Amino acid sequence: MGFPFTSMLQIMSVACEGVQVMYPNLKLAVVEAGISWMPFIMYRLDSAYKRYRSELPMLEKKPSDYISQWYIGTHELESLPRRGDLAKLIELYQGENRTMWASDWPHMERDLLAGFMYYDLEESVRRRVLGENAVKFLKLDVKK
Amino acid sequence: MTVTTEEQPAKPESRRKIKIAKVAEFPPGTRVEVAINRVRIAVFNIGGSYFAMWGRCPHQFAPLSRGRLQGTVVCNAETNWETKWAHEGEVVVCPGHGMEFDVRTGKAFGYTTRVKTYDVVVENGDVVLLM
């Protein structure tokens, strides 16, 4: 249960201290913490940023603009109750091009593909989440 | 075939002119708030130069034109990533939630957004807003 909390703190630290401003080509990913807290940390930070921007003077854009550049692994995918929920969630944190399905292999409590396939997603988004985003993140050479 | 670009003839001045104040009554460091119909515009005198900007914050439409003038903290490649106080007297802070705008350009510090700015000229001792 605790993983998302530490992940949020780490994202907050890295994004708000301007690491991506100094190193704009750096690719970052957060994994093994699920995904449902992403909208919260992005937009809660945006809200606080209005008043406290002077404490984060390195940023040129609002925090969610930086966090939405992060890749995110789906493991341990939350038990969203309805088939349409995953699509809504990914849309909410603008993650169509950043979300990577993750199994947590070789751990035994891994996510199974069937758990992901339960959710309704547009076919193009499903393809991206199941592979294309990871190919981009890891710079894999895909043989057709 | 050679394509040549001809200079466009200068457009006649079609902008509306609105007298804001006498120059003598509008010293540096002060502002004048103007309501044109229902549009609120803030005109600032910063070190003898006049700048006008839209008077509402794009966030939730708080009265930006009444925000206090101050400087702000900057930290970028130009400051060698050192935190510095800069733009003293050129930053208007929204009284709603503290967003900061550069009075000279209308750009919000730390955002990619900006508020609309207007030209201001001095004619016959009057400060005149061009719309």
Side-chain angles (χ1 to χ4, degrees), chain A residues 33 131 133 136:
Chain A
N133 290 342
K136 203 167 49 169

Side-chain angles (χ1 to χ4, degrees), chain B residues 53-106:
Chain B
M53 66 194 282
W54 176 258
R56 291 280 180 186
C57 182
H59 169 225
Q60 288 183 353
F61 296 95
L64 183 61
S65 50
R66 295 178 191 175
R68 71 176 181 279
L69 274 176
Q70 59 170 47
T72 193
V73 183
V74 293
C75 178
N76 50 39
E78 280 175 28
T79 69
N80 207 17
W81 304 108
E82 300 272 343
T83 300
K84 285 191 175 152
W85 185 257
H87 305 290
E88 180 62 46
E90 300 171 7
V91 179
V92 63
V93 183
C94 178
H97 301 88
M99 275 182 78
E100 300 162 313
F101 294 86
D102 187 335
V103 170
R104 292 173 179 270
T105 62

